[in-house]
Amino acid sequence: MSVQTVRNADLIVINARVLTMDAARPSAEAVAIRDGLIAAVGDKTEIEALRGPDTKVIDARGGSVVPGFIEAHMHLFSGAAELAHLQLFGLHGFEALRDAVHAYAASRPDAKMIVGQGADYTILGGERVTRHHLDAIIPDRPFLMAAPDHHTMWANTRALEMAGVLHGRELTPGNEIVMGADGLAEGELRENEAFNPVLKLAGEGRVRLGLSTGGEPDPVPNAEERAGDRAIMRRGLDWCARHGITSVQNMDGNYYQLELLSEIEAEGDLICRVQVPFHYKNFMTIDMLDKASDMAARYKGEWLSSGVVKLFYDGVLDSWTAVMLEPYADRPDWVGEPLFSPEEFKRLAVEIDRRGLQIAVHSIGDGATRAVLDGYEAAQKANGLRDSRHRVEHVEVTTAADIKRFVDLGVIASMQPPHPPGAMSFPLEPTVTRIGRERWAYAYPTRTLLDAGAHVVFASDWPVAPIDPILGMQAAMLRKPWADDMPDQSVSLRQALAGYTVEGAYAGFMEDRKGRLKPGFLGDLVVLSADIEATDPAVLHEVRPVITICGGRVTYQA
Ligand SMILES: [Zn+2]
């Protein structure tokens, strides 16, 4: 006679509406976790059978339980730092801006610079923001405010003077210090090279290095600076856990970020799985990809990994820096300038792909996406078909022909549901006019890509938009066309959830381990405050994460 013992679960979640995202068993009442993995998914009796004296029991009270959210495109380090900046998201009008800046500046008498985040391009209505507006608000201290997309910033005269850019400066293509008729900088700074000198004044250079240069801090931070940076990183991880996020695909990076996260992991506090890419910039040489390969070889754990090369091919629509096939509707002589030539990008794509690394390219205009797909096609031809899962980030405007190529080439479309103008908090103008009516049908084409059969992954691009995946799902489901004759780009609840779970797992080559609640998968899940299937999408934002569990451990509890 043999006695078979089933080991008790470490943790069970009961009274839940479990959305497993597993076709074999789409719904369940309860989940059991053991040794950091999903041990069982089933009805109440099945799961209660695994309950022992030491089992932690979580009562979901009828709320949904879903796989931990996978945030497929964000900027953890700089986002975390920005949590402490002046938040201008959704704020409009000179008086409102003035009052917000005054209150914030008064509360930070020692700040090296006053930095605002999330300023709409139309924060002053139809009027373009200049340093004169900002001087009228705060003349005596350096002030800089960033557009939500972080591709344009505006500085007052004091900041421009201190940074030494008031009289302009020679920059590489794609970057611009907008100059006034008086020969002085107007205050508007387009892209990294233009605003980095000003941003440096804030003394937060290290948090943006992974984005601005992809390089390492120089000088090497001392122990105190490192501890401060770890604290910033921890704040970001907490912010993720609080929003139900259990995995992050970061979209900027360097060794320094990996080291900080690895130190946090050693201290037992890495509460979110993080992937950090190597960021290849257009001033680098191709041999520098050795660093990307080295990062991939050194970091390949379930909690901390690399293996991705991130690049920017173009800028954004709102500053005319996105690369279009045909001129902008409101600038008929201009299509934007790419950050790499198509030939250069092809060479790079072939080399990165040859190294077995994944490629993720910021590509907003239809011209950029054309060139990026050409590069991926060239890589496939040169190196042969492999499971590469290269990605295009944003895909804000594209064409019918290229939508088909996403499917044919097996390329992942990384879409940000909060980004389409009118979908969440970004205003329609100037973006929709700039795109031009003829291109609207293929603008932010989420559903069109899904219907075509492409892999579509969802993300916030935090801190460009709020990190909250539930807000993102809501925006994706409630998406409204800008005109009656435009295709519907809204998605279903299941599609929205898939974008933040199974598709994220696929993008991270982890679809056999995460993104679903299935025995043997990682114990990553979120307990929500209500049943999301029974919730009207219009009030989906009221549903909140109650408990986040990552690797079987509670990482957030409301
Ligand atoms: Zn981004």
Side-chain angles (χ1 to χ4, degrees):
M1 197 178 84
S2 73
V3 180
Q4 234 185 347
T5 51
V6 177
R7 274 174 57 225
N8 293 329
D10 298 328
L11 183 153
I12 60 174
V13 184
I14 55 169
N15 292 328
R17 307 269 309 174
V18 186
L19 271 163
T20 65
M21 302 309 280
D22 173 17
R25 177 161 201 163
S27 57
E29 295 170 351
V31 182
I33 294 179
R34 190 195 300 125
D35 299 331
L37 303 176
I38 306 286
V41 178
D43 61 30
K44 193 167 189 285
T45 341
E46 288 170 277
I47 301 302
E48 285 277 11
L50 300 173
R51 176 179 180 165
D54 298 325
T55 301
K56 181 180 171 72
V57 181
I58 293 169
D59 184 346
R61 298 193 184 135
S64 295
V65 166
V66 299
F69 295 126
I70 299 172
E71 164 49 76
H73 180 132
M74 59 119 83
H75 304 277
L76 183 61
F77 202 13
S78 56
E82 287 180 17
L83 288 172
H85 291 172
L86 168 62
Q87 307 298 321
L88 297 171
F89 222 81
L91 188 130
H92 285 102
F94 181 82
E95 274 97 58
L97 177 61
R98 181 196 60 201
D99 295 350
V101 172
H102 285 178
Y104 181 86
S107 74
R108 281 176 172 67
D110 302 324
K112 291 178 185 146
M113 179 164 70
I114 304 303
V115 188
Q117 296 303 144
D120 259 7
Y121 282 83
T122 51
I123 193 164
L124 298 183
E127 221 173 318
R128 278 189 48 219
V129 178
T130 69
R131 64 189 164 92
H132 303 295
H133 294 113
L134 305 180
D135 291 348
I137 290 172
I138 181 163
D140 51 333
R141 297 174 69 182
F143 173 71
L144 178 75
M145 65 178 192
D149 60 27
H150 295 69
H151 287 262
T152 298
M153 299 196 187
W154 298 269
N156 68 356
T157 306
R158 184 93 185 94
L160 295 166
E161 263 172 353
M162 286 172 69
V165 295
L166 185 59
H167 297 271
R169 180 180 287 185
E170 211 47 54
L171 304 173
T172 65
N175 299 275
E176 186 181 2
I177 296 172
V178 179
M179 300 302 287
D182 57 0
L184 297 177
E186 267 188 353
E188 182 174 337
L189 306 164
R190 296 178 184 159
E191 303 295 335
N192 275 297
E193 276 183 41
F195 50 66
N196 274 345
V198 184
L199 202 52
K200 251 190 204 149
L201 302 173
E204 287 176 357
R206 289 190 300 276
V207 306
R208 280 186 58 88
L209 267 183
L211 193 61
S212 58
T213 70
E216 305 303 325
D218 180 19
V220 173
N222 62 32
E224 192 188 330
E225 289 167 330
R226 242 183 140 87
D229 288 345
R230 273 198 306 275
I232 293 173
M233 205 60 116
R234 280 170 200 270
R235 206 194 306 149
L237 294 166
D238 276 337
W239 194 245
C240 292
R242 162 177 295 273
H243 290 93
I245 294 166
T246 53
S247 287
V248 163
Q249 289 159 11
N250 206 46
M251 280 294 146
D252 65 90
N254 52 12
Y255 268 125
Y256 188 54
Q257 291 190 20
L258 282 160
E259 286 163 10
L260 292 174
L261 289 162
S262 163
E263 286 158 20
I264 292 171
E265 185 181 13
E267 287 161 0
D269 293 334
L270 191 60
I271 56 172
C272 220
R273 307 173 193 278
V274 188
Q275 182 180 49
V276 176
F278 169 71
H279 188 173
Y280 189 92
K281 303 290 284 191
N282 58 359
F283 52 77
M284 292 180 177
T285 49
I286 207 155
D287 57 298
M288 289 176 82
L289 288 169
D290 283 349
K291 180 171 164 183
S293 295
D294 185 55
M295 278 164 99
R298 277 166 65 177
Y299 295 93
K300 47 185 176 189
E302 236 159 37
W303 288 91
L304 192 53
S305 60
S306 187
V308 183
V309 177
K310 167 77 191 297
L311 304 91
F312 279 81
Y313 192 84
D314 68 349
V316 293
L317 294 163
D318 286 355
S319 61
W320 294 284
T321 49
V323 171
M324 310 300 282
L325 290 169
E326 300 293 331
Y328 280 91
D330 62 346
R331 202 169 159 184
D333 57 342
W334 181 251
V335 293
E337 279 174 306
L339 296 165
F340 294 93
S341 72
E343 295 68 36
E344 235 179 321
F345 179 73
K346 262 185 209 165
R347 238 188 344 268
L348 264 171
V350 169
E351 175 56 16
I352 302 169
D353 182 80
R354 189 191 65 75
R355 289 170 180 261
L357 302 170
Q358 190 181 21
I359 312 172
V361 182
H362 168 115
S363 167
I364 283 188
D366 51 7
T369 295
R370 172 72 45 87
V372 172
L373 291 170
D374 286 347
Y376 291 164
E377 194 177 306
Q380 224 171 66
K381 283 202 180 112
N383 303 326
L385 193 61
R386 66 177 191 93
D387 188 8
S388 55
R389 306 190 195 183
H390 298 318
R391 317 169 33 141
V392 183
E393 307 301 314
H394 311 310
V395 200
E396 292 188 358
V397 182
T398 186
T399 59
D402 283 338
I403 289 208
K404 193 172 170 299
R405 292 175 78 206
F406 273 88
V407 186
D408 295 344
L409 294 167
V411 171
I412 298 170
S414 165
M415 310 295 281
Q416 290 64 46
H419 285 191
M424 198 191 278
S425 31
F426 294 149
L428 292 174
E429 297 298 348
T431 324
V432 301
T433 299
R434 194 148 297 170
I435 293 170
R437 182 91 206 205
E438 275 134 60
R439 284 181 286 225
W440 283 5
Y442 291 99
Y444 307 87
T446 309
R447 168 97 76 95
T448 307
L449 280 157
L450 280 169
D451 288 349
H455 278 283
V456 178
V457 73
F458 283 166
S460 66
D461 201 5
W462 183 67
V464 170
I467 203 169
D468 192 339
I470 296 176
L471 287 186
M473 284 172 56
Q474 183 182 42
M477 291 163 70
L478 295 179
R479 175 93 181 272
K480 294 267 179 306
W482 302 327
D484 290 340
D485 58 351
M486 261 179 85
D488 181 1
Q489 299 293 355
S490 68
V491 306
S492 69
L493 173 70
R494 291 263 167 182
Q495 286 172 319
L497 188 56
Y500 283 105
T501 55
V502 281
E503 292 298 338
Y506 177 81
F509 293 90
M510 289 285 282
E511 71 277 17
D512 58 344
R513 298 281 278 151
K514 63 163 103 151
R516 293 186 166 88
L517 298 177
K518 191 175 173 174
F521 274 48
L522 299 175
D524 301 357
L525 59 82
V526 201
V527 180
L528 301 175
S529 61
D531 176 355
I532 50 171
E533 287 176 295
T535 302
D536 179 350
V539 292
L540 190 64
H541 61 278
E542 290 172 5
V543 178
R544 294 290 84 209
V546 179
I547 291 178
T548 306
I549 295 171
C550 190
R553 164 182 174 196
V554 174
T555 55
Y556 167 73
Q557 188 146 18

